[in-house]
């Protein structure tokens, strides 16, 4: 998949030594149980869990926004996260959410168009979501009723719009955490 753009996974390298699982406190181990990944606990998670209370709060909120059943479709949440991450310059998150969007939709057309800087190739709904994600990420205070009207014009209801705003907004936070705590690079 994603043959046109070849979005290879990136590696994230922390600036602060991650908690070693063998040395984690009971509170840290308990907090890491809310990690949604089916893989090993990442260095990023182990870096954030230095403060288990804030990690737990952050991850419960993140899971509720990105993985909840119902409301905005998961590919649309991923597209919002991708648009935000692109504006925020977080290559790691952009690649992760581009790949998830392509996997969920079983198509790399949207991701390819965005990475080739051709948003005019998007369908109306994807274009509205992507445009809103970029606008909200670049200057949140400049979002207007017209932005909401654009989302409604492509069939989104108020609950879906709120879900999209949550997905975009949490990536303002997530991208900043990633940037200040480490850096990403190719394999």
């Amino acid at each position: 998949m994603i043959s046109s753009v070849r979005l290879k996974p990136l590696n994230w390298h922390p600036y602060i030594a991650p908690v070693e699982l063998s040395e984690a406190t009971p509170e840290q181990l308990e907090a890491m149980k809310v990690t949604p990944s089916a893989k090993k606990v990442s260095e990023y998670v182990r870096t954030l869990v230095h403060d288990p209370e804030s990690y737990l709060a952050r991850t419960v909120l993140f899971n509720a926004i990105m993985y909840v059943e119902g409301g905005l479709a998961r590919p649309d949440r991923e597209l919002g996260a991708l648009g935000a991450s692109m504006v925020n310059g977080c290559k790691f998150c952009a690649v992760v959410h581009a790949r998830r969007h392509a996997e969920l939709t079983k198509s790399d057309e949207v991701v390819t168009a965005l990475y080739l800087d051709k948003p005019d190739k998007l369908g109306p709904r994807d274009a509205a979501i992507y445009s809103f994600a970029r606008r909200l990420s670049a200057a949140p205070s400049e979002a207007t009723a017209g932005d909401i009207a654009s989302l409604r014009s492509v069939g989104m209801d108020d609950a879906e719009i709120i879900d999209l705003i949550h997905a975009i907004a949490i990536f303002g936070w997530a991208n900043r955490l990633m940037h200040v705590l480490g850096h990403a690079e190719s394999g």
Side-chain angles (χ1 to χ4, degrees), residues 150-166:
S150 292
L151 295 171
R152 284 192 182 115
S153 76
V154 295
M156 292 179 74
D157 63 29
D158 289 348
E160 290 174 312
I161 292 168
I162 289 170
D163 285 348
L164 178 60
I165 292 167
H166 285 154

Side-chain angles (χ1 to χ4, degrees), residues 54-99:
S54 68
Y55 173 75
L56 182 61
R58 170 249 177 237
T59 306
V60 167
L61 178 61
F62 186 89
N63 293 349
I65 290 170
M66 293 304 292
Y67 303 121
V68 69
E69 294 293 323
L72 186 64
R74 178 83 186 281
D76 293 342
R77 293 172 199 263
E78 298 295 342
L79 182 55
L82 171 57
S85 297
M86 291 175 83
V87 167
N88 294 328
C90 188
K91 291 178 185 175
F92 185 89
C93 290
V95 168
V96 166
H97 296 284
R99 293 171 63 84

Side-chain angles (χ1 to χ4, degrees), residues 31-42:
M32 286 187 277
K33 289 182 180 178
V34 300
T35 304
S37 176
K39 304 176 191 174
K40 66 180 179 106
V41 177
S42 70

Side-chain angles (χ1 to χ4, degrees), residues 2-187:
I2 313 177
S3 57
S4 303
V5 235
R6 309 235 190 285
L7 292 175
K8 295 179 182 175
L10 299 176
N11 294 317
W12 183 80
H13 303 284
Y15 299 136
I16 297 171
V19 171
E20 293 298 331
L21 292 176
S22 62
E23 298 171 12
T25 67
E27 293 82 11
Q28 290 168 328
L29 291 171
E30 187 64 27
M32 286 187 277
K33 289 182 180 178
V34 300
T35 304
S37 176
K39 304 176 191 174
K40 66 180 179 106
V41 177
S42 70
E43 285 188 314
Y44 181 61
V45 167
R46 292 185 297 114
T47 301
L48 291 175
V49 84
H50 277 288
D51 180 350
E53 189 176 326
S54 68
Y55 173 75
L56 182 61
R58 170 249 177 237
T59 306
V60 167
L61 178 61
F62 186 89
N63 293 349
I65 290 170
M66 293 304 292
Y67 303 121
V68 69
E69 294 293 323
L72 186 64
R74 178 83 186 281
D76 293 342
R77 293 172 199 263
E78 298 295 342
L79 182 55
L82 171 57
S85 297
M86 291 175 83
V87 167
N88 294 328
C90 188
K91 291 178 185 175
F92 185 89
C93 290
V95 168
V96 166
H97 296 284
R99 293 171 63 84
R100 284 191 186 147
H101 183 275
E103 289 166 7
L104 290 166
T105 62
K106 298 182 179 14
S107 171
D108 65 353
E109 288 179 27
V110 169
V111 171
T112 299
L114 298 179
Y115 273 85
L116 295 177
D117 199 23
K118 296 183 178 184
D120 57 313
K121 301 289 184 192
L122 300 178
R125 183 178 175 96
D126 290 336
I129 290 169
Y130 180 69
S131 176
F132 183 66
R134 291 189 61 84
R135 183 166 168 84
L136 192 59
S137 297
S141 64
E142 293 179 15
T144 67
D147 294 311
I148 301 302
S150 292
L151 295 171
R152 284 192 182 115
S153 76
V154 295
M156 292 179 74
D157 63 29
D158 289 348
E160 290 174 312
I161 292 168
I162 289 170
D163 285 348
L164 178 60
I165 292 167
H166 285 154
I168 295 164
I170 201 153
F171 274 87
W173 181 23
N175 298 154
R176 283 158 182 81
L177 282 172
M178 281 231 129
H179 284 294
V180 77
L181 292 173
H183 69 280
E185 62 186 21
S186 299

